[in-house]
Amino acid sequence: AVEETVTVTGETPIVDTQSVRRQAVLGSDIIAALPATRSYGALLTAVPGLMVDNTVNQGAMTRPFMTFFTANGGRANEGRMMIDGLNVAASFNGGGVSTFIYDTANVEEMQVLVSGALGEAENGGPQVNLIPKSGGNVFKGTAFYSGAGKWSTGNNLNDELRGFGLNQPAGIISAWDTSIAGGGPIKRDRLWFFVNARKYSQLNPIPGAFANANAGDPTKWLYAKDPGVETRGADSRAIVSVRLTSQVTPRNRVTFSHEYQHRCSGSSITLDGDGCRTR
């Protein structure tokens, strides 16, 4: 008897000479393992080749706010945010981000197209596509909580900094973030659901800003600093989302999602202790 064995092996080339597309994918396991806050801006700092501006109203990155990003020397606001391939952010002036809070903690993967979308998009900036979780044939869920306050902040104010006019250090009065999420089958192998509920709040002092001691006095029209009353910045948001996914055929899937976000910040809120609630 004559026997012959043929072994065929293939290797991915180190350099793709056919395309200039460059993409990074952050899976759910990587997102969970990264020591970063629950915002897309913090996660994007782990992707080589991106310039991420995490200084825009971030408050030391304790809240998941909007972040501009770019690549390849482009404009600072060229980056685009998408969910399941659909652009869901502002497009004004090329800015592809918004104050919409993206649920990065409950995504299957985060696709980052560093090279830009090439010929299929209207701009050459990088694109981030979030693929949300859609549930499965087994019921699973997660719960999350984090908190910070005055006890967790330090003070490095010294005479040298006071000489530059800094009389109050940056800090946090209170900050917390909590959520619960889960999903499972409605009809096995056919229809699944996934729900998420989240609430976060942040209250921090604004260094160098104080109340007007002359406020309410009709005889005085000039500002006079009242050092006994500091100015605070507040931001709070409640988020509820529902997602239904149906496997119509082996090759076709239909998804329905609805998300409600209620935000209160600035003059639209009243302070209740260290919290933030709608007026």
Side-chain angles (χ1 to χ4, degrees):
V2 178
E3 296 182 358
E4 182 178 359
T5 301
V6 178
T7 302
V8 180
T9 60
E11 297 181 357
T12 302
I14 299 177
V15 178
D16 186 0
T17 59
Q18 304 298 320
S19 174
V20 295
R21 180 184 296 270
R22 190 158 61 92
Q23 179 173 290
V25 177
L26 302 180
S28 57
D29 54 341
I30 297 178
I31 294 175
L34 284 175
T37 57
R38 309 174 79 195
S39 64
Y40 68 91
L43 296 175
L44 290 180
T45 56
V47 180
L50 289 183
M51 282 71 73
V52 184
D53 181 12
N54 278 328
T55 62
V56 181
N57 202 15
Q58 287 292 323
M61 289 299 293
T62 55
R63 58 182 172 176
F65 211 69
M66 60 188 299
T67 301
F68 290 102
F69 59 95
T70 186
N72 308 313
R75 293 187 303 178
N77 60 353
E78 272 194 331
R80 295 293 178 92
M81 292 296 299
M82 298 182 296
I83 297 179
D84 269 346
L86 178 66
N87 193 343
V88 294
S91 59
F92 175 72
N93 196 28
V97 300
S98 68
T99 57
F100 180 83
I101 302 301
Y102 300 93
D103 188 17
T104 56
N106 294 302
V107 297
E108 288 291 346
E109 63 181 28
M110 182 177 180
Q111 303 169 352
V112 185
L113 196 60
V114 182
S115 60
L118 306 179
E120 68 267 25
E122 71 276 12
N123 72 328
Q127 293 195 359
V128 176
N129 185 29
L130 302 178
I131 308 299
K133 292 181 179 179
S134 56
N137 288 330
V138 179
F139 290 99
K140 293 183 179 180
T142 60
F144 174 87
Y145 175 81
S146 68
K150 294 181 179 179
W151 54 268
S152 63
T153 60
N155 185 351
N156 65 341
L157 196 63
N158 52 31
D159 293 337
E160 181 181 359
L161 294 176
R162 292 188 182 93
F164 291 107
L166 300 176
N167 297 319
Q168 184 183 8
I172 299 173
I173 298 175
S174 69
W176 54 269
D177 189 349
T178 183
S179 67
I180 183 170
I186 297 178
K187 185 176 182 180
R188 189 176 180 85
D189 297 328
R190 285 291 183 181
L191 182 62
W192 308 276
F193 76 93
F194 190 87
V195 295
N196 174 50
R198 181 181 184 185
K199 178 84 183 261
Y200 76 83
S201 177
Q202 176 173 306
L203 188 65
N204 59 282
I206 301 178
F210 298 91
N212 184 8
N214 294 330
D217 189 346
T219 63
K220 298 178 180 179
W221 294 79
L222 298 179
Y223 169 80
K225 183 175 70 174
D226 185 357
V229 181
E230 66 179 5
T231 301
R232 298 179 174 184
D235 185 75
S236 176
R237 189 171 303 213
I239 303 172
V240 178
S241 63
V242 179
R243 184 178 180 88
L244 298 176
T245 304
S246 175
Q247 192 72 40
V248 181
T249 67
R251 298 184 60 183
N252 295 277
R253 174 176 290 192
V254 177
T255 298
F256 168 82
S257 62
H258 175 75
E259 184 159 333
Y260 168 80
Q261 297 193 9
H262 178 260
R263 180 189 180 195
C264 61
S265 63
S267 59
S268 65
I269 58 98
T270 57
L271 299 179
D272 183 10
D274 286 344
C276 168
R277 61 184 177 82
T278 306
R279 177 178 291 172

